[in-house]
Amino acid sequence: MSITSTSKPRFNFNYLNVYGLVLPIVFIVLWAIASKLNWVNPKLIPAPFEVVQIAIHQFQQQEFWTGLGASLFRDLTGFVIGSILAIIFGIAVGVSRWANYLFLPSFNVLRQISLFAWLPLITTFLDYGNSAKILFIVLSVFYPVALHTIDGVRQIPLHQYEVAKVYQFNAWQTLSKLILPAAASQIFLGLQLGLIFAWVATIGAEFLLANYGVGLGNIVIRGRAALDVGLIVFGLIVIGFIGVAWKSLANLTERRILVWRR
């Protein structure tokens, strides 16, 4: 007796994404009406059309694309370095009892320190240059990725390690065939949070460690210095859209890599 699947095809289109556009559209419409009827001061709150004009002008400037490239470079560099160090640290602490005793107490103390409290020490040694910004991003990524990696490794049942011993796995086989696959979900959750924190730290570093360099944060700084609210709004919108794009890319990557779990 054969069983025929009668399940309907699944659509990837998420209607919640459409509903999520309602609030921004309503906000823009009300914003345009308030500007048209002079309910707001145009010097403080420019009309949406003016922001669009500023966006078109900025997209035509080489300075904007140079700044975008600089911000993305800092973001990715800090994220990659911080993630690699955090995963190595998390696996070591999660697997080794000695590493747990030696490093975890110090880690728990250091992660209670606000990231912004590290800035005076970072700038003392690295000044306000690119290296200081990247180190700040590395620190912001390290903690969430390390915590989720430790949790993922510790959730692996002991009997799975016993099976690995029965099959006489060496250290590399235990890592690649047991630890990483079993802890993959938690590691990717940490990486997603790390990616978000990295982008927030990138813009924060460009604000707090401003040295008149290039970056998306400098667009907002220039807008503030010139009292150009339209330029500030444009910078915030670009920063927000890039953050959403990173989040979507992280979700897509996780689904592709962890497809075997389904």
Side-chain angles (χ1 to χ4, degrees):
M1 180 179 177
S2 62
I3 299 176
T4 305
S5 175
T6 58
S7 60
K8 296 181 179 180
R10 297 176 62 186
F11 295 94
N12 294 325
F13 188 81
N14 188 354
Y15 290 99
L16 292 178
N17 293 336
V18 177
Y19 298 145
L21 294 175
V22 173
L23 185 59
I25 291 174
V26 171
F27 175 77
I28 293 173
V29 170
L30 294 177
W31 177 13
I33 293 174
S35 299
K36 183 68 175 179
L37 299 178
N38 293 321
W39 290 349
V40 294
N41 187 341
K43 293 183 178 180
L44 296 178
I45 305 178
F49 180 71
E50 295 181 17
V51 177
V52 172
Q53 289 181 318
I54 292 174
I56 294 173
H57 175 72
Q58 288 295 319
F59 289 148
Q60 295 173 346
Q61 303 298 313
Q62 180 65 32
E63 182 181 3
F64 168 78
W65 298 107
T66 302
L68 176 61
S71 294
L72 293 178
F73 172 78
R74 296 184 188 112
D75 179 44
L76 289 175
T77 303
F79 173 74
V80 170
I81 296 174
S83 298
I84 292 174
L85 294 177
I87 292 174
I88 294 174
F89 175 83
I91 292 175
V93 171
V95 172
S96 172
R97 182 179 301 178
W98 288 106
N100 180 76
Y101 290 153
L102 186 61
F103 296 114
L104 194 60
S106 299
F107 173 77
N108 288 330
V109 171
L110 292 176
R111 72 187 182 92
Q112 303 302 323
I113 302 174
S114 171
L115 285 175
F116 299 103
W118 290 101
L119 288 176
L121 188 62
I122 292 174
T123 54
T124 298
F125 291 98
L126 298 177
D127 200 26
Y128 290 82
N130 209 41
S131 299
K133 296 181 177 67
I134 292 176
L135 179 57
F136 182 72
I137 299 168
V138 169
L139 289 174
S140 71
V141 173
F142 183 84
Y143 295 113
V145 178
L147 283 172
H148 282 84
T149 302
I150 294 172
D151 288 341
V153 173
R154 286 181 173 175
Q155 290 174 9
I156 301 175
L158 290 177
H159 70 267
Q160 294 188 12
Y161 287 103
E162 294 172 357
V163 172
K165 289 181 180 179
V166 170
Y167 283 95
Q168 297 181 345
F169 281 5
N170 57 34
W172 170 249
Q173 289 174 324
T174 302
L175 175 64
S176 61
K177 297 181 180 297
L178 172 60
I179 296 175
L180 288 178
S185 294
Q186 282 293 325
I187 292 175
F188 268 97
L189 179 58
L191 289 174
Q192 286 189 18
L193 292 175
L195 191 61
I196 296 172
F197 288 173
W199 183 239
V200 173
T202 299
I203 304 303
E206 292 174 353
F207 282 147
L208 301 173
L209 304 178
N211 60 345
Y212 301 99
V214 293
L216 290 179
N218 294 88
I219 293 178
V220 181
I221 293 174
R222 286 192 290 108
R224 181 187 63 182
L227 297 178
D228 189 345
V229 179
L231 185 59
I232 295 175
V233 172
F234 164 73
L236 295 177
I237 292 174
V238 173
I239 292 169
F241 270 106
I242 292 178
V244 172
W246 278 134
K247 183 67 168 65
S248 301
L249 180 61
N251 290 335
L252 177 61
T253 303
E254 180 183 7
R255 288 197 298 269
R256 291 292 179 85
I257 293 179
L258 300 185
V259 65
W260 55 272
R261 281 185 169 270
R262 296 194 292 273

